[in-house]
Amino acid sequence: MLCLVLLVLCAPALGQRQFMTNVRLELGSENDRTASIRIGDLDGDGDLDLSVANGRHWPRQNVLYLNQGKARFNLARPLGADLSTSYATEIADLDGDGDLDIAVGNDLAPNVIFLNDGKGIFARHATFGVPSSIRSLTLADLDGDGDVDILATIRGARNQIYWNDGAATFPASHAFGTAADSTIDVAVTDLNKDGMPDLLLANRDAQPNAVILGGEEGKWGRAIPFGTGKDETRAVAVADFDQDGNEDWAAGNIGGANAVFFGDGKGGVRERVAFGRPDGITYALAIGDLDQDGRPDLVVANRGQSNAAFLNQGEADGFREVRFGDAANATYNVDVGDVNGDGFPDIAVANSDAPNQIYLNLPLRKK
């Protein structure tokens, strides 16, 4: 079983991958206070671009970085005219026209939908919700009607689901949780194989993390705790790590080790295994097959510690850790995608106190 052992190596072995950057792959500045970065083909030219959310609590300009091919981000474009206190610029086809649109989630400022003309020109379309302390947005079809809805985590208030009317406006919403909740991140998947989306909630402030099983027409069941009950969890990501047909998930924690939860296919946990540093400060997680061996790997974004990729070695061998990046950085977010077109997913990190960076996923060369 995959969960029997987790190997930790600070450098990859020969024939493995390494994650390299340079000054040409630095984007933005330390003054941007970047909270989030997302990868997608925004201009429809076949390569992957970046959407960057800046500001957090201080108004800054959100930015799109357009890939000119082979990870050359030589063209940047402002997203919207306003400077805003943004935590998220999430991308999905919100109006069903086949291109990627952007939902911007802000801290105590209006949240905005930007629609894409198909060539990477984004027009302000509508606001959604009311200004609140949004910390993340998750975009998914939560009610099974074929369009993409928005789930917003709101610190110090009830979380909200905003229902898409099919035209990328969100006139109706559904609140869940309590005003005391500190949910920072949510993953959406079908844990119990009933065809309905379920929610995995990452909670802070010593509040238990939770699974919420979904039902017909976006109705939700009770919260089922997972973890120790005292985890300071800031991130959650889903994949079938042991390839047994059941969805598993990883939780990124502050002040402790991260953990993989192996699902039982019914919405519960079969086994929990810790990984990473025992004094970890993980702010974000991403999933990708970094070594193209058919198994999902993990990327961990840390604050005040090196970031790391955990390469899935399969059943008995667990994960192998490859660290990258400056340990002094505060990496708030991470995403993966093949930005240089070589067939291997690369890593984009959002740093709040330093320029954002692209790390190219390259074969380790023999010295």
Side-chain angles (χ1 to χ4, degrees):
M1 294 170 58
L2 176 66
C3 53
L4 291 179
V5 62
L6 287 139
L7 303 178
V8 177
L9 300 177
C10 294
L14 292 177
Q16 299 296 323
R17 311 301 296 179
Q18 59 183 337
F19 305 99
M20 306 296 292
T21 191
N22 58 56
V23 294
R24 295 295 298 272
L25 296 172
E26 294 181 354
L27 305 172
S29 76
E30 62 185 43
N31 295 321
D32 290 337
R33 300 183 186 271
T34 302
S36 180
I37 194 164
R38 288 292 176 259
I39 298 175
D41 184 3
L42 300 176
D43 54 6
D45 65 354
D47 51 35
L48 296 179
D49 311 302
L50 303 174
S51 169
V52 175
N54 291 324
R56 295 194 293 120
H57 307 297
W58 302 270
R60 296 291 190 273
Q61 178 68 63
N62 295 324
V63 179
L64 309 177
Y65 292 95
L66 301 180
N67 192 345
Q68 305 303 293
K70 298 183 179 181
R72 294 191 296 262
F73 293 93
N74 297 334
L75 179 63
R77 188 172 289 165
L79 179 64
D82 295 338
L83 307 186
S84 54
T85 50
S86 296
Y87 266 85
T89 52
E90 294 292 333
I91 58 179
D93 183 5
L94 297 173
D95 57 1
D97 66 353
D99 53 40
L100 294 174
D101 309 303
I102 298 177
V104 179
N106 293 320
D107 180 48
L108 299 175
N111 308 306
V112 183
I113 301 297
F114 289 91
L115 295 185
N116 192 348
D117 71 351
K119 298 180 180 179
I121 303 298
F122 288 81
R124 183 184 175 105
H125 171 64
T127 61
F128 64 95
V130 297
S132 53
S133 298
I134 283 182
R135 291 298 180 266
S136 69
L137 300 179
T138 301
L139 308 187
D141 182 4
L142 296 168
D143 54 6
D145 66 353
D147 50 40
V148 176
D149 308 302
I150 300 174
L151 190 155
T153 65
I154 304 172
R155 194 161 192 191
R158 300 185 73 189
N159 301 313
Q160 295 283 340
I161 296 172
Y162 301 102
W163 305 112
N164 193 340
D165 64 0
T169 55
F170 299 82
S173 64
H174 169 76
F176 68 95
T178 71
D181 286 349
S182 289
T183 303
I184 300 297
D185 193 22
V186 178
V188 178
T189 190
D190 183 5
L191 292 174
N192 58 355
K193 303 180 182 180
D194 65 353
M196 308 296 174
D198 308 310
L199 307 180
L200 286 158
L201 274 59
N203 294 326
R204 288 190 61 186
D205 301 327
Q207 296 177 3
N209 301 315
V211 170
I212 301 180
L213 298 179
E216 296 284 350
E217 298 179 351
K219 296 180 181 178
W220 309 99
R222 65 182 179 86
I224 304 168
F226 70 88
T228 68
K230 297 181 180 179
D231 298 319
E232 295 285 332
T233 302
R234 195 179 176 102
V236 63
V238 176
D240 182 3
F241 292 112
D242 57 2
Q243 298 182 305
D244 66 350
N246 299 325
E247 291 280 45
D248 312 309
W249 62 96
N253 297 321
I254 299 172
N258 301 321
V260 172
F261 296 86
F262 294 93
D264 62 7
K266 300 176 182 178
V269 176
R270 175 173 55 79
E271 190 164 2
R272 173 187 180 274
V273 175
F275 74 97
R277 297 172 55 144
D279 61 344
I281 309 175
T282 294
Y283 270 42
L285 299 169
I287 304 289
D289 185 1
L290 298 173
D291 50 9
Q292 294 294 281
D293 64 356
R295 295 185 290 259
D297 306 308
L298 269 166
V299 182
V300 175
N302 296 319
R303 178 171 184 167
Q305 300 172 347
S306 296
N307 300 319
F310 287 85
L311 301 178
N312 189 343
Q313 305 297 289
E315 296 189 358
D317 294 326
F319 292 86
R320 184 169 54 81
E321 181 182 3
V322 181
R323 296 178 185 169
F324 66 92
D326 189 337
N329 289 343
T331 303
Y332 267 68
N333 203 249
V334 63
D335 203 4
V336 298
D338 180 12
V339 298
N340 65 350
D342 68 351
F344 286 85
D346 307 299
I347 301 172
V349 300
N351 293 320
S352 190
D353 60 355
N356 306 312
Q357 289 175 297
I358 303 295
Y359 289 86
L360 298 181
N361 181 353
L362 302 172
L364 183 68
R365 300 184 188 279
K366 187 175 180 179
K367 294 182 180 180

